[in-house]
C-alpha cells in the first residue's frame, strides 16, 4: 500500500496542476491525502478548494486543521486510508464473486469473518507513506507542528506488525531545477526523523503539482516491485464509495 | 460534507427489529454520539442493553468482533457477555447495521471523585486494575483508558466502556487519546502491551485529580520535552498523588512484572498512604509532646532522688 500525504497551507502557483498530478498518482496505485494547516487565519477559499480537489483526484481525503490538531489528523487519515483501501478491495471482490454491494450485505456471522480478515490485513500489510511538506515562506511558523506530526506518525507506523516505512520530502527545492527535495528516504525508525527541518530554507513559490509528480517518480523507482495484488486500488467506480468514506468522520 | 453526528437521530420509542435475528428492541434514549456512530439505551423485553448504530458496517463489525472474542477468551461464570447481538435495522429501505452490547450505568471517574472525594481513588483504582488484569491475561490491551471510558457506580464498582479500541497484545494500538498516550510522552512505543495500559492508568489519576495543571503542562511543553519526568514533577507536588509516588513512577516506566503485581503494589501503596495520611492527621502538637517528655524527666528525677535517699 502506498500513500502520499501532502501537508500545505495554500494554493500552488508554479507548474502543472496538482489535481492532475494527484490523479496520476492514484492511477499508479498511490492514494493522496491532504492536510491543510492553518494558524489563526483561515485558509483562502481557492486554497481550500484546491486541497479538496487534490484529495478527490488522489482517491484520498482532505482535512483543514490547526497546528494543534495536525498530529491527530495525520494519524487518522493514514489509518483510515489503509482501512478504506482494504475495504474497497474486499467490496470489489464480493461484488465480482457474489454480486453483493459491500461487506454490509453479508449476514452477520459471515460479516464477522470477513472483517476479521480485513483487520488482519490492516495490521500486517506493507505500508509506505511519503510525506510531502510545503516549505514555502508562509509555512515557517507551522513547521514545528509538522515535524511533531511526522515523528508521531512514524512512531505509530513503527508499532504496526506489517512492514511500514516513511519518506519525507519538502518543496520547493533548493536549486531551482528540482521541484522538491528528499529529506529522508524510506525509514522505519522514528528516531531518524529528528530535527530534519532545521536546514530547510524557506522560499516563496509553491510548485505543488511538480513536487507531487516527483514523489510519484520516487515511489515508482523505489518500490515498483512490491506491488501487492489485493491492495491495488482500482481506478474506476470511485463514485459512491468515496461518498461513504468522506462521510463518516466527524 | 455530512458527518455522522448530523445524521438523523432515531426518536425514543422507535421499535428496532433485527433483519437477520429478529429480536425486537425499543429505543429508550440516546446515550451518546461518537466519531463513528450513535449509541442508544434500548429495552429488549424486560432487560436493557445498549445499541450502537453506524453507517460503516465493516468498522462496526470490527468492534463487535473485539467484544465477541473478549467473551470467548475471558470466560467467567455469571458475567453478562459483552456482545449480545449483531444485526441490521431496515429503515426506509436502507439497512442500518447495529450491534447490541450490555449497558453499563455509572459516572465518569473524574466526576465521581469530585463528588465523593479523592479517598475513593484506592477502591476505584483497585477494581479497575482487577478488570485490566483479567483483560491482559486474556491477551488483550484496553488501550483507550481515559476518564470518560471508566464508569464508576455505587461504592466504587468500576466498568470499562468502549471496547472498540481494545487491541490484541502485540498489535499496534488502534485507538488512543493523546494525553494518555505513552508515545506522546516519549515513554515507549504504540505497540499494545500491558504496560501501555499502566501508563494510561497512571495518567487517569493525574487527569482526574490534577487536570488543570496537567493541561497547562501539555500546552507549555515543547514536543521534544515531553517526558514522564515532567509528569512525575506534577505527581510529587500534588498532596494526594505524592503519597503514591513510587507506584506512579513504576507505572510510567512500565516497571511491573505483570498487572497482578501492579494490583498488589497498588493495594500496598494505598494502605501505606492512608496510614501516613492518618498519622499526619492525628499528629500530636509539639508542645504537648514536650510537656510529656518534661514530666517524664521530672518524674524520673524525683524517683531517682527518692531512691537515693
Amino acid at each position: 500500500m502506498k500513500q502520499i500525504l501532502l501537508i500545505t497551507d495554500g494554493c500552488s502557483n508554479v507548474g502543472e496542476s496538482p489535481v492532475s498530478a494527484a490523479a496520476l498518482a492514484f492511477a499508479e496505485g498511490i492514494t493522496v491525502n491532504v492536510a491543510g494547516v492553518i494558524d489563526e487565519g483561515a485558509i483562502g477559499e481557492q486554497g481550500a478548494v484546491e486541497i479538496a480537489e487534490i484529495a478527490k483526484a488522489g482517491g484520498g481525503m482532505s482535512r483543514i486543521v490547526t497546528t494543534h490538531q495536525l498530529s491527530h489528523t495525520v494519524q487518522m487519515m493514514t489509518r483510515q486510508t489503509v482501512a478504506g483501501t482494504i475495504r474497497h478491495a474486499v467490496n470489489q471482490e464480493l461484488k465480482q464473486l457474489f454480486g453483493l454491494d459491500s461487506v454490509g450485505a453479508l449476514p452477520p456471522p459471515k460479516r464477522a469473518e470477513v472483517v476479521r480478515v480485513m483487520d488482519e490485513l490492516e495490521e500486517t500489510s506493507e505500508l509506505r507513506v511519503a510525506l510531502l511538506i510545503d516549505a514555502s515562506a508562509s509555512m515557517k511558523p507551522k513547521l514545528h507542528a509538522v515535524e511533531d506530526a511526522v515523528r508521531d506518525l512514524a512512531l505509530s507506523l513503527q508499532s504496526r506488525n506489517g512492514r511500514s516505512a516513511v519518506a519525507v520530502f519538502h518543496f520547493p527545492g533548493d536549486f531551482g531545477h528540482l521541484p522538491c527535495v528528499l529529506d529522508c528516504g524510506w525509514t522505519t525508525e522514528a528516531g531518524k526523523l529528528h530535527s530534519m527541518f532545521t536546514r530547510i530554507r524557506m522560499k516563496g513559490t509553491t510548485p505543488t503539482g511538480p513536487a507531487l509528480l516527483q514523489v510519484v517518480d520516487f515511489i515508482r523507482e523505489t518500490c515498483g516491485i512490491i506491488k501487492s495484488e489485493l491492495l491495488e486500488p482500482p481506478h474506476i467506480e470511485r463514485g459512491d464509495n468515496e461518498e461513504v468514506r468522506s462521510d463518516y468522520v466527524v | 460534507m455530512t458527518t455522522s453526528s448530523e445524521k438523523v437521530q432515531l426518536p425514543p420509542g422507535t421499535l428496532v427489529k433485527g433483519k437477520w435475528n429478529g429480536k425486537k428492541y425499543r429505543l429508550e434514549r440516546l446515550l451518546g454520539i461518537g466519531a463513528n456512530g450513535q449509541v442508544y439505551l434500548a429495552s429488549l423485553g424486560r432487560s436493557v442493553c445498549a445499541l450502537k448504530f453506524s453507517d460503516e458496517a465493516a468498522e462496526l463489525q470490527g468492534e463487535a468482533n473485539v467484544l465477541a472474542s473478549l467473551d470467548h477468551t475471558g470466560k467467567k461464570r455469571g458475567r453478562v457477555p459483552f456482545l449480545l447481538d449483531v444485526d441490521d435495522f431496515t429503515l426506509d429501505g436502507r439497512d442500518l447495521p447495529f450491534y447490541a452490547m450490555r449497558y453499563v450505568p455509572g459516572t465518569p471517574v473524574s466526576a465521581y471523585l469530585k463528588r465523593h472525594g479523592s479517598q475513593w481513588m484506592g477502591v476505584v483504582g483497585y477494581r479497575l486494575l482487577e478488570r485490566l488484569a483479567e483483560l491482559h491475561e486474556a491477551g488483550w490491551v484496553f488501550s483507550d483508558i481515559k476518564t470518560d471510558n471508566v464508569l464508576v457506580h455505587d461504592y466504587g464498582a468500576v466498568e470499562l466502556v468502549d471496547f472498540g479500541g481494545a487491541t490484541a497484545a502485540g498489535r499496534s494500538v488502534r485507538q488512543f487519546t493523546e494525553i494518555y498516550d505513552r508515545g506522546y510522552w516519549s515513554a515507549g512505543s504504540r505497540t499494545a502491551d500491558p504496560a501501555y495500559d499502566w501508563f494510561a492508568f497512571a495518567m487517569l489519576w493525574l487527569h482526574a485529580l490534577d487536570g488543570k495543571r496537567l493541561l497547562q503542562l501539555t500546552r507549555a511543553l515543547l514536543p521534544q520535552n515531553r517526558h514522564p519526568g515532567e509528569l512525575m514533577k506534577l505527581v510529587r507536588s500534588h498532596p494526594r498523588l505524592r503519597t503514591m509516588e513510587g507506584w506512579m513512577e513504576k507505572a510510567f516506566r512500565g516497571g511491573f512484572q505483570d498487572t497482578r503485581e501492579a494490583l498488589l503494589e497498588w493495594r500496598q501503596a494505598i494502605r501505606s498512604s492512608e496510614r501516613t495520611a492518618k498519622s499526619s492527621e492525628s499528629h500530636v502538637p509539639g508542645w504537648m509532646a514536650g510537656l510529656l517528655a518534661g514530666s517524664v524527666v521530672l518524674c524520673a528525677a524525683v524517683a531517682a532522688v527518692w531512691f537515693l535517699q
Side-chain angles (χ1 to χ4, degrees):
Chain A
M1 243 179 281
K2 287 157 278 177
Q3 300 179 10
I4 294 175
L5 176 62
L6 170 65
I7 302 178
T8 183
D9 69 344
C11 241
S12 66
N13 53 20
V14 185
E16 294 94 333
S17 141
V19 180
S20 66
L24 180 83
F26 191 57
E28 300 211 11
I30 305 164
T31 313
V32 183
N33 291 321
V34 190
V37 218
I38 46 172
D39 275 338
E40 288 88 41
I43 209 155
E45 195 184 335
Q46 208 186 349
V49 168
E50 190 183 86
I51 284 170
E53 286 276 295
I54 295 171
K56 219 167 178 189
M61 51 180 111
S62 64
R63 291 284 180 279
I64 291 171
V65 294
T66 64
T67 47
H68 294 290
Q69 301 161 303
L70 188 64
S71 286
H72 180 78
T73 306
V74 163
Q75 293 256 359
M76 184 274 296
M77 289 203 291
T78 306
R79 190 172 272 272
Q80 286 194 355
T81 303
V82 171
T85 310
I86 289 169
R87 205 177 309 143
H88 192 84
V90 168
N91 286 349
Q92 210 72 12
E93 293 281 307
L94 287 173
K95 193 172 257 170
Q96 275 175 11
L97 294 176
F98 307 109
L100 294 168
D101 283 344
S102 70
V103 184
L106 290 166
K110 285 269 179 284
R111 202 182 297 169
E113 271 173 52
V114 172
V115 169
R116 205 165 296 134
V117 174
M118 286 162 73
D119 281 350
E120 182 72 25
L121 282 173
E122 203 180 315
E123 173 77 17
T124 55
S125 55
E126 173 154 358
L127 171 64
R128 289 183 186 239
V129 184
L131 293 136
L132 178 57
I133 290 148
D134 179 351
S136 58
S138 58
M139 278 292 285
K140 188 162 191 178
K142 300 159 201 158
L143 272 193
H144 270 302
V146 172
E147 202 180 332
D148 192 31
V150 172
R151 214 176 311 126
D152 201 58
L153 177 68
L155 187 68
S156 272
L157 293 186
Q158 211 179 309
S159 308
R160 291 178 80 240
N161 283 179
R163 277 190 56 200
S164 336
V166 287
V168 184
F169 292 84
H170 77 264
F171 66 100
D174 287 332
F175 316 103
H177 63 281
L178 280 176
C180 69
V181 180
L182 177 68
D183 294 297
C184 176
W186 296 120
T187 178
T188 51
E189 286 159 59
K192 282 212 174 140
L193 299 170
H194 220 66
S195 67
M196 65 194 153
F197 296 131
T198 43
R199 52 208 164 82
I200 293 180
R201 273 182 292 145
M202 299 293 176
K203 283 197 182 163
T205 58
T206 313
T208 314
L212 269 173
L213 290 176
Q214 197 189 319
V215 176
V216 172
D217 284 345
F218 171 80
I219 294 178
R220 197 194 297 131
E221 280 157 25
T222 51
C223 35
I225 334 118
I226 57 146
K227 273 192 184 173
S228 103
E229 272 172 50
L230 177 67
L231 308 173
E232 262 271 64
H235 332 142
I236 30 145
E237 283 187 348
R238 296 187 7 257
D240 41 20
N241 188 282
E242 232 22 68
E243 291 273 326
V244 172
R245 225 196 285 170
S246 51
D247 245 9
Y248 100 111
V249 180
V250 178
Chain B
M1 189 183 70
T2 50
T3 59
S4 45
S5 50
E6 290 163 13
K7 287 268 162 59
V8 193
Q9 289 177 15
L10 302 167
T14 306
L15 284 175
V16 175
K17 184 168 181 265
K19 175 181 163 185
W20 306 91
N21 302 332
K23 285 192 187 163
K24 285 180 199 141
Y25 301 90
R26 186 179 181 280
L27 299 189
E28 302 296 338
R29 65 187 163 91
L30 183 71
L31 288 172
I33 297 177
N36 57 358
Q38 302 176 342
V39 183
Y40 294 87
L41 178 65
S43 55
L44 173 70
R46 248 181 293 165
S47 61
V48 289
C49 60
L51 295 189
K52 180 163 183 179
F53 292 87
S54 167
D55 288 334
E56 276 300 318
E59 193 169 304
L60 199 70
Q61 183 64 54
E63 290 182 24
N65 282 356
V66 172
L67 296 179
S69 49
L70 285 172
D71 287 332
H72 276 297
T73 42
K75 276 262 148 53
K76 216 179 170 192
R77 299 158 308 277
R79 169 158 290 162
V80 185
F82 287 104
L83 183 68
L84 305 169
D85 191 14
V86 181
D87 215 326
D88 293 334
F89 172 43
T90 312
L91 183 69
D92 304 330
R94 264 187 73 225
D95 280 350
L96 194 57
F98 71 89
Y99 65 83
M101 59 189 151
R102 62 177 179 170
Y103 168 63
V104 178
T107 326
V109 61
S110 58
Y112 188 89
L113 292 184
K114 239 170 234 140
R115 194 178 316 153
H116 299 272
S118 66
Q119 73 269 24
W120 285 92
M121 171 184 171
V123 187
V124 173
Y126 187 82
R127 300 274 204 143
L128 181 55
L129 276 172
E130 232 172 9
R131 300 287 291 125
L132 289 174
E134 276 172 36
L135 204 61
H136 294 163
E137 280 156 12
W140 289 91
V141 174
F142 187 75
S143 83
D144 200 10
I145 295 177
K146 59 177 173 184
T147 164
D148 288 343
N149 285 348
V150 179
L151 297 186
V152 188
H153 35 134
D154 301 335
Y155 305 110
V158 174
E159 280 296 345
L160 287 163
V161 290
D162 191 3
F163 276 85
T167 309
R171 291 291 173 97
S172 60
V173 168
R174 9 195 278 160
Q175 187 181 311
F176 61 87
T177 304
E178 228 165 40
I179 62 160
Y180 288 86
D181 169 46
R182 172 169 83 175
Y184 177 86
W185 290 101
S186 0
S189 75
R190 286 200 185 113
T191 305
D193 56 20
Y196 190 89
D197 277 349
W198 305 337
F199 188 94
F201 178 94
M203 289 305 295
L204 181 74
W205 303 112
L206 209 50
H207 191 201
L209 298 176
D210 205 1
K212 220 182 221 167
R213 284 203 303 160
L214 177 63
L215 294 184
Q216 269 167 9
L217 180 73
T218 52
R219 243 173 270 136
L221 276 183
L222 288 172
Q224 57 268 31
N225 296 339
R226 282 187 215 126
H227 189 267
E230 296 293 327
L231 298 171
M232 283 312 294
K233 279 184 206 160
L234 287 189
V235 168
R236 279 188 210 107
S237 54
H238 185 273
R240 182 72 182 88
L241 293 171
R242 191 175 48 210
T243 60
M244 300 294 289
E245 185 187 335
W247 197 95
M248 296 287 274
E249 172 115 45
K250 236 173 153 177
F252 283 139
R253 307 216 179 269
F256 300 108
Q257 286 248 305
D258 53 28
T259 312
R260 291 280 163 204
E261 189 187 87
L263 179 66
L264 214 69
E265 292 193 15
W266 175 265
R267 209 179 71 103
Q268 287 161 356
I270 286 287
R271 285 295 294 139
S272 65
S273 80
E274 273 161 7
R275 237 174 277 136
T276 50
K278 218 163 257 154
S279 67
S280 62
E281 260 167 38
S282 57
H283 193 69
V284 186
W287 61 267
M288 218 185 239
L291 214 61
L292 179 74
S295 60
V296 167
V297 168
L298 201 69
C299 193
V302 170
V305 168
W306 190 77
F307 269 121
L308 285 175
Q309 279 176 350

